[in-house]
Amino acid sequence: AQKVTQAQTEISVVEKEDVTLDCVYETRDTTYYLFWYKQPPSGELVFLIRRNSFDEQNEISGRYSWNFQKSTSSFNFTITASQVVDSAVYFCALSEKVYNFNKFYFGSGTKLNVKP
Amino acid sequence: DTGVSQNPRHKITKRGQNVTFRCDPISEHNRLYWYRQTLGQGPEFLTYFQNEAQLEKSRLLSDRFSAERPKGSFSTLEIQRTEQGDSAMYLCASSPDVANYGYTFGSGTRLTVV
């Protein structure tokens, strides 16, 4: 069963618009971690945020904010006042403990195009 | 330290040839992972090393794939008798020995099998 679903394949916005990337996850564990990564055209996955399953407080970092709702198994990511440099593929990931390591399950990604 | 380094960045090979990729993790990270990313998809787990021990392998890792991490430093991923379906981005990541810490990924090796 797919553990992380990113239903939006591609989103296009004009610079300065706000945009929200959706992420829905599935797990039977009570303890787990959620992540967002950014993948620019260079290919490297850049860590953005980590959130544990016991902390449902929303987080804001500059123009980025994250909304974690356990009741709906969602961990959405909002970029405020988008910029061209935000153009990339964004991945949501779920980390589960498997034996003694953390196995990541990634969604299929959302490609964000920010046009000037 | 400049992060996780992967070589080569790109590899084009003919079907049936063997290829080997290298990953140099962040020096103080004792955990190392290999993931595969096909076009339009998120990365999928292949294998995990803690120091030099390979502790977990995915079913995606067929008999043609082998990974090593001698001395617990760099790691190599070898694919024997490559097939067109092996074309993908192969990503290496490392992390410290801290529970649920995020990975640091390398830039990947893009393999094209023709």
Side-chain angles (χ1 to χ4, degrees), chain A residues 62-81:
Chain A
R63 296 184 298 107
Y64 295 168
S65 62
W66 291 269
N67 183 342
F68 175 32
Q69 293 200 340
K70 217 167 172 177
S71 59
T72 55
S73 297
S74 65
F75 186 44
N76 297 336
F77 172 31
T78 297
I79 302 175
T80 302

Side-chain angles (χ1 to χ4, degrees), chain B:
Chain B
D1 188 50
T2 56
V4 178
S5 175
Q6 291 189 247
N7 289 289
R9 288 297 309 275
H10 303 275
K11 178 73 177 176
I12 299 175
T13 190
K14 290 184 179 178
R15 193 173 48 185
Q17 298 293 305
N18 300 342
V19 293
T20 300
F21 312 140
R22 177 179 170 126
C23 170
D24 288 272
I26 292 174
S27 56
E28 57 266 29
H29 287 182
N30 63 346
R31 299 183 180 205
L32 185 146
Y33 314 81
W34 284 97
Y35 278 72
R36 182 173 70 185
Q37 185 180 14
T38 53
L39 205 61
Q41 298 298 316
E44 292 177 291
F45 171 77
L46 290 180
T47 190
Y48 158 65
F49 287 86
Q50 183 156 346
N51 299 311
E52 66 276 8
Q54 187 176 21
L55 298 183
E56 184 74 12
K57 289 196 294 186
S58 162
R59 277 175 251 168
L60 291 175
L61 217 63
S62 75
D63 291 345
R64 297 184 296 105
F65 288 70
S66 62
E68 294 183 341
R69 193 183 181 196
K71 302 177 185 177
S73 55
F74 71 91
S75 176
T76 58
L77 177 67
E78 181 184 13
I79 308 174
Q80 296 182 326
R81 304 181 304 281
T82 51
E83 302 172 356
Q84 286 190 321
D86 297 331
S87 295
M89 174 81 88
Y90 289 85
L91 291 161
C92 177
S94 68
S95 71
D97 198 13
V98 176
N100 289 303
Y101 202 85
Y103 298 171
T104 299
F105 280 89
S107 297
T109 294
R110 182 167 294 285
L111 173 67
T112 302
V113 181
V114 298

